[in-house]
Structures are given as structure tokens and as C-alpha cells.
Amino acid sequence: MSIIKYDYHMHTPLCGHAEGTPEEYVQHAIKMGLTEIGFSDHAPFVKGPLPGVCMNEDQLPTYIDMIDDVRKKYKDQISIKIALEADYIPGYEENTLAIIQSFNYDYIIGSVHFIGDWAFDDPGDVASWSNQDINQVYRDYYSLVRQSAESGLFDIIGHCDLVKKFGHRPTEDMTEEIIKTAETFARTSMAIEINTAGLRKKVNEMYPAIDALRIYREHNIPLTFGSDAHQPHEVGQDFNQALDLAKKAGYTEHVIFNQGLMTDKIKL
Ligand code: ZN
Ligand code: FE
Ligand code: FE
Ligand code: ZN
């Protein structure tokens, strides 16, 4: 029985809403039998400080030092990548580029958490959903995800159906949106992730859903795995289910990154 040994999505307390030291994440990863992890904390927000959501720009050196410290300390036990999860904010591409080029990150996860100024995945603001046309929210979301891929800023698209997080479901079929999105990912050489954090949210399923994942597979979109851990014990969580999902969708391998390049394929 194979297991997934690579977790490419986890956070640190610098973002203001994750708990535990990087060392605790690393120790849990080792306990889970992982061979490689990547820290991908929330990059500084490009429109100005966003305490409790993203680290501040002046914390980036601390972030890099912190991860580099555990990387050295545990180098004989586990490989550790330094990455970021950066928000995609249209119109701020150059500011985003400046942040992600400030260091030679192993990979950048690009995530859509905002539609306009609305943080649609904010648990403190679920009430805002009640004023929305859910079909339109889904279309706007996928359109932004495609734009984020087109921006060329990112290596991996984060949780590529996050819009379902609180269980709001469209009444119209979104298959065409997903196919267009898959075509965009293929053209722009994006990878995606199976992100298990959705299992810990109201929607209670991984990102992306099986039907979407099959479409991405048909378009040969490379795959990574991420727990999106915000606490040490979440590292590698539910990776058995993630492996099942990947195989059900027809995936036979996942990819890994080094210093901004997709360097290897690992058999599932
Ligand atoms: Zn977070
Ligand atoms: Fe995210
Ligand atoms: Fe995350
Ligand atoms: Zn995330």
C-alpha cells in the first residue's frame, strides 16, 4: 500500500491564524512518515497589511529564517521546502511579483480567497453569502482562478474549488466553467493540489471535487498534495483519502518542485 509522502501546503503563526511552531509541524510530519514538506504561509497582502490573515511584508525575512532553521536542523530526517501561498488580486500583479521574487522560493501557491473586496471564505463573514447569487459567485470565482493562472505568477493553484467551502451549491451546472479552467491550466502550465482541508470545513469534502479532478486529469494537469495545516496535527491529515481521490480521478503520479521548477514525478 502506497502512501503520500509529500505535503506541500501548511502555515505558520506569522499569518496570525495558525498555531504551533514550524518545528512542531516538522515533528508531526516525521511522525506521519512524510519525506518532504513545504511551508506555504500566507504571503504579505498586496493591498496593505491584513493582520490575522496574512503575514506583514517586514515578517518575510523572519519567515524564511524560521523555515531555514528547521530545514537545517532536520535535514537528515525530512526535506523541507520554502514556499508561499499568495492571494491573487487582479490589478496587483506587479506587487505580487515583487513579493514572490524577493527570495528563491521552491514554489508559489496562487489562491483566490477574494471576489472583489469580499473574502468569501472568511468564517467570520458567512452571512454575506445570503445576499449573493450563488451561480454568479461560482462563475466569478472560476473566472478569477483562470485569471490567476494567466497571470503567470504561480506554480500551483490552491484549493481550486474553495468557493464551496461553506456548502453553498450552485443550481446551474458548472462543468463548462471547470473545462474552461482546465484548458487554461493546461495552456499556462499550472499544477493543482488535492487539498484535504475541505474535510475539516462545512462542505466536508476535499478540494477539488472528484468530477472536477477527473477533468483536470483529462487535461494532464500536474498534481500536488496539501493538508493546508494550520495546526501541527493537521500535517498529512487524511492523505489516505487524498490518494484514493487521486486514483479515482485517474492520476498515476504527482509532482514535486525545487527552487521554482517542477523537477520530478512521483508514482502514486
Ligand atoms: Zn490560512
Ligand atoms: Fe487558502
Ligand atoms: Fe493555506
Ligand atoms: Zn489555503
Side-chain angles (χ1 to χ4, degrees):
M1 189 196 78
S2 65
I3 61 160
I4 309 293
K5 293 182 174 167
Y6 297 75
D7 184 345
Y8 266 20
H9 194 150
M10 63 194 68
H11 292 272
T12 82
L14 290 180
C15 65
H17 62 274
E19 288 163 19
T21 63
E23 183 157 20
E24 291 172 307
Y25 286 68
V26 171
Q27 287 173 347
H28 191 73
I30 293 167
K31 206 170 103 189
M32 296 294 282
L34 303 184
T35 57
E36 180 166 288
I37 60 171
F39 284 90
S40 55
D41 205 7
H42 297 284
F45 194 60
V46 285
K47 291 167 123 176
L50 208 52
V53 180
C54 294
M55 71 175 86
N56 286 334
E57 203 158 352
D58 59 10
Q59 291 176 305
L60 268 177
T62 309
Y63 175 62
I64 292 162
D65 283 351
M66 220 163 71
I67 309 307
D68 203 39
D69 283 349
V70 287
R71 175 153 74 174
K72 285 180 186 138
K73 185 167 176 186
Y74 288 91
K75 69 176 186 332
D76 296 331
Q77 291 161 76
I78 191 164
S79 157
I80 299 176
K81 305 285 185 199
I82 306 185
L84 286 173
E85 178 181 17
D87 284 285
Y88 177 65
I89 307 291
Y92 288 78
E93 286 83 355
E94 292 199 1
N95 315 59
T96 307
L97 186 65
I99 288 165
I100 67 187
Q101 283 189 337
S102 63
F103 179 78
N104 191 14
Y105 292 101
D106 287 304
Y107 55 90
I108 305 292
I109 299 177
S111 293
V112 172
H113 302 110
F114 291 89
I115 296 172
D117 286 328
W118 180 35
F120 64 85
D121 78 322
D122 179 355
D125 191 24
V126 187
S128 294
W129 273 90
S130 58
N131 319 313
Q132 302 290 333
D133 171 346
I134 292 175
N135 294 317
Q136 193 56 47
V137 172
Y138 270 70
R139 289 184 205 292
D140 291 347
Y141 173 77
Y142 281 113
S143 165
L144 281 164
V145 168
R146 288 193 293 273
Q147 261 183 270
S148 76
E150 302 274 11
S151 77
L153 292 164
F154 311 119
D155 302 297
I156 302 166
I157 298 298
H159 40 57
C160 62
D161 61 0
L162 178 67
V163 67
K164 72 185 178 185
K165 177 175 178 179
F166 301 122
H168 302 90
R169 296 294 190 179
T171 54
E172 292 168 19
D173 183 13
M174 291 294 149
T175 306
E176 281 307 313
E177 289 289 331
I178 295 164
I179 291 172
K180 271 204 286 183
T181 303
E183 288 166 354
T184 303
F185 290 169
R187 186 161 32 78
T188 56
S189 303
M190 287 299 105
I192 57 167
E193 60 170 6
I194 289 182
N195 180 314
T196 60
L199 291 168
R200 311 190 292 270
K201 302 290 158 34
K202 178 136 191 269
V203 67
N204 194 27
E205 62 178 51
M206 288 172 274
Y207 313 108
I210 181 67
D211 291 356
L213 192 61
R214 283 202 176 101
I215 292 168
Y216 296 125
R217 171 66 197 95
E218 283 161 14
H219 288 76
N220 292 312
I221 309 304
L223 182 67
T224 63
F225 291 87
S227 64
D228 213 340
H230 284 71
Q231 296 180 52
H233 75 90
E234 293 171 347
V235 175
Q237 194 166 303
D238 299 314
F239 271 25
N240 290 338
Q241 285 190 66
L243 176 61
D244 280 352
L245 186 72
K247 286 184 165 172
K248 245 182 229 158
Y251 276 95
T252 56
E253 61 192 23
H254 71 92
V255 294
I256 60 172
F257 285 86
N258 281 296
Q259 304 198 322
L261 296 171
M262 198 187 291
T263 52
D264 258 309
K265 294 171 177 168
I266 310 289
K267 284 251 165 297
L268 291 178

